[in-house]
Amino acid sequence: MALTDSLLVRAATGRPGPRPPVWFMRQAGRSLPEYRALRTGSTMLEACRTPELITEITLQPVRRHGVDAAILFSDIVVPLVAIGVGVDIVAGVGPVVDKPIRELADLDRLRPLEADDVAYVSQAVGDLVRELGPVPLIGFAGAPFTLASYLVEGGPSKDHALTKSLMHSDPQFWHALLERLAEIARAFLQVQIDAGASAVQLFDSWAGTLSLADYEQFVLPHSRAVLQPLAGTVPRIHFGVNTGELLAAMRSAGADVVGVDWRVPLDEAARRLGPGAVVQGNLDPALLGAGEQVVDAAVRRVVAQGRIADGHVFNLGHGVPPGTDPDVLTRIVETVQNST
Ligand code: CP3
C-alpha cells in the first residue's frame, strides 16, 4: 500500500497518528487566485484533459496551505466525457448533458471505460506522485447515483424528481444504468490506483436526497460494486451530503472512511456507524466567512468530536465555496496541525 505511514492512510486504516490529517474537498480550484490565473484560456474540461494543468492545479493548494493530502484536479464527469457522452461543465451551473439518458436504448451511449480513454489522468497521477513525495494523493470518482442524476435530469437538480420517479417506474432501466455507471466509476478509480493514488474517494454527493429504503434498494448494490472490488488496494472514502440517515448503509457499501457533512456531529456519526468507524469531515463551509474566533472554535470542536471515532480525517462538511478567503483555509490547516 502506498504511503502507509502518512497521517491520511494511518487514520483511514484505523491507526491514527497524534493528530488528524487535514485536506479540503474542492481545495483545488475555486478560491485560489493562482488557479484562476492558470485557468484563463481553457475550459474546465480542457484543463481536466491536460496533464500539466492537472498536475499544477492539484499541487497549488498543497503548496499554499500545507494540507496533508492532495486531491486530483478532475471532475466526476471526466470518465463520461472520455467515453464520448456529450457533457459540458458550465461555469456557475455544473455538468449539463446534451441528450439525457432516460430509457434502455440510451444505454448504448455508455460503453465501458478503458485505461487508454483517460491516459492524461494516468500520466498526471504518475507525475503527481513523484512531485508530492510524502504527501498522499487522493483519486476520486462520482458514484453511480450522483452520475445518474446528472444523466437523467440533464443537469443539476434540486429535488432529483425525475431520477427518483424513474428508479421506481422503470427499475429494469434504472439497474441497467447504474450497473454501467458502477463499472465506469470502478474502472476510473482503478486507473488512478494503478498510477499511484494513495486513497480514493467515491462522491455520492446527492445520495442524501433518498430515503434509506430507496438507497438500499436502488443505489447501495451499485456503490458496493464500485468499492468492494477495490478492497485491499488503497483506503476507500465514501461521501455524500445530507446523509445522516444513510451513514451506516454507506459504510456497508465497502468504505474504510465515511464522509459526514456538518449536520451530524462526528461523535454521533461514529455512534451511527458502529464499532471501528473512521470518519471524515465536518466543518460547516458556511462558517468560513464568520471570522477567526468562530472558525477556530468550530475547528477545535470538530477535532474533539472526531476523537471518539477510530480515526478522523479533518475536512469540511462539503466543498470549499467559491468565494472563500484562502487565508482562512491556511489558518484551519495550522489549527488542526497544532492540535494534539
Ligand atoms: O476537490 C477538488 O478540489 C478536486 C477537484 C474536483 C472538482 N470537481 C473540480 C471542479 C472534484 C473532487 C469535483 C467533484 C465533483 N464535481 C462533484 C462531487 C463533489 C461535490 O462537490 O459534491 C460534483 C457534484 C461535481 C459536478 C460539478 N462540477 C459541479 C457541481 C461543479 C460546479 C459548477 C460551478 O461552477 O458552480 C463543477 C465544476 C467544477 N469542478 C469546478 C471545479 C474546480 C469549477 C469550475 C471552474 O473552475 O471553472
Side-chain angles (χ1 to χ4, degrees), residues 141-166:
F145 173 76
T146 290
L147 291 176
S149 79
Y150 285 107
L151 292 175
V152 168
E153 306 280 344
S157 161
K158 279 211 163 51
D159 53 12
H160 302 98
L162 205 51
T163 314
K164 289 204 241 178
S165 89
L166 252 177

Side-chain angles (χ1 to χ4, degrees), residues 23-30 35 39 44 71-76 89-95 140 146 150 203 205-206 239 241 318-319:
W23 70 280
F24 304 109
M25 292 183 276
R26 296 283 183 91
Q27 68 188 17
R30 290 286 164 133
Y35 166 75
R39 273 289 318 283
M44 176 67 190
I71 179 148
L72 184 75
F73 176 77
S74 188
D75 195 84
I76 58 168
I89 296 180
V90 179
V93 177
F140 74 92
T146 290
Y150 285 107
F203 281 96
S205 300
W206 313 137
F239 168 80
V241 184
H318 196 185

